[in-house]
Amino acid sequence: GNSVTQMEGPVTLSEEAFLTINCTYTATGYPSLFWYVQYPGEGLQLLLKATKADDKGSNKGFEATYRKETTSFHLEKGSVQVSDSAVYFCALSEVIQGAQKLVFGQGTRLTINP
Amino acid sequence: KAGVTQTPRYLIKTRGQQVTLSCSPISGHRSVSWYQQTPGQGLQFLFEYFSETQRNKGNFPGRFSGRQFSNSRSEMNVSTLELGDSALYLCASSFLSVDYGYTFGSGTRLTVV
């Protein structure tokens, strides 16, 4: 079946550091790819998405590019802030004969120190 | 516009009891999905409803069930609760397809004692 593998966490960085969280996927067909973020005590929020190969999703300084050749969707940010501390989930969409769902990676906990 | 609303936010139940969780999607969203989040298993898909029909079901025992009403509001029910059912239950809605992305509610934290 389809699956998503994320970089193991937790990840701890200093403020203004460069961030990369790796995400690779296994899928039949061409799924849409997503990054969701979860702040403490809250549900998941859609951070960015890409629906086809070579698309770049971006939001709030975060970026990720849909790379079909490497089956990857790595999340990057040039300069992180303390407020970016959260758990980040990579996900792909799975649609089979109208039945649909998201398949999530295990999540990466990010802590930014001032 | 209002987001996805889940009630209650917190719930404590005893083993063997049953529980019903509620989800009101964003107005106009016809697809509602439910996920279970635990530290050990991560986010696991429970089921998805569209226009009152269950379109997809995850690999959970029959104790887990759900339904969707004509106004798109959804409920999920867990009968004969077990300690392992303790989790954060998340509801998500989307306009038509998951490819548009979900909007998640804040979740219901269920603790089974």
Side-chain angles (χ1 to χ4, degrees):
Chain A
N2 297 339
S3 66
V4 175
T5 302
Q6 277 183 244
M7 170 177 172
E8 290 274 339
V11 174
T12 302
L13 296 172
S14 298
E15 206 166 20
E16 299 183 5
F18 184 86
L19 168 71
T20 299
I21 300 178
N22 290 337
C23 170
T24 58
Y25 66 91
T26 302
T28 52
Y30 303 99
S32 294
L33 301 175
F34 305 85
W35 277 100
Y36 281 84
V37 58
Q38 186 175 34
Y39 298 101
E42 298 184 14
L44 278 68
Q45 297 177 24
L46 178 63
L47 182 59
L48 53 83
K49 68 177 182 180
T51 57
K52 61 183 187 297
D54 300 324
D55 265 3
K56 178 187 281 189
S58 61
N59 187 25
K60 299 180 182 180
F62 291 90
E63 293 183 339
T65 301
Y66 191 141
R67 301 284 188 201
K68 192 176 70 161
E69 62 277 9
T70 54
T71 61
S72 65
F73 193 55
H74 304 322
L75 182 68
E76 296 182 335
K77 186 175 185 184
S79 177
V80 292
Q81 306 300 312
V82 172
S83 57
D84 294 328
S85 298
V87 181
Y88 291 80
F89 292 92
C90 184
L92 61 81
S93 62
E94 180 180 282
V95 181
I96 302 173
Q97 295 180 331
Q100 56 184 320
K101 67 179 184 184
L102 284 182
V103 176
F104 287 91
Q106 69 270 37
T108 302
R109 182 175 298 278
L110 173 67
T111 301
I112 308 298
N113 294 320
Chain B
K1 60 182 177 183
V4 176
T5 303
Q6 291 188 246
T7 56
R9 284 297 307 274
Y10 302 93
L11 209 46
I12 300 175
K13 290 287 188 179
T14 304
R15 270 182 302 175
Q17 287 186 311
Q18 75 163 19
V19 67
T20 300
L21 312 182
S22 179
C23 172
S24 293
I26 288 175
S27 179
H29 284 193
R30 294 164 64 188
S31 171
V32 175
S33 298
W34 290 87
Y35 287 80
Q36 181 196 65
Q37 185 177 24
T38 59
Q41 300 297 317
L43 283 152
Q44 293 191 288
F45 172 76
L46 281 157
F47 21 68
E48 188 244 351
Y49 288 88
F50 184 87
S51 293
E52 302 179 67
T53 300
Q54 186 181 85
R55 286 203 298 197
N56 200 3
K57 189 177 193 307
N59 189 25
F60 278 81
R63 300 185 296 106
F64 291 81
S65 63
R67 58 179 175 168
Q68 186 181 34
F69 302 95
S70 58
N71 62 358
S72 293
R73 190 177 71 86
S74 177
E75 290 181 347
M76 67 163 282
N77 185 76
V78 188
S79 62
T80 319
L81 284 165
E82 300 176 0
L83 295 178
D85 297 333
S86 295
L88 180 66
Y89 290 88
L90 292 165
C91 169
S93 74
S94 64
F95 176 56
L96 281 177
S97 165
V98 69
D99 286 330
Y100 288 89
Y102 286 148
T103 300
F104 280 86
S106 296
T108 294
R109 171 76 62 186
L110 172 65
T111 302
V112 182
V113 298

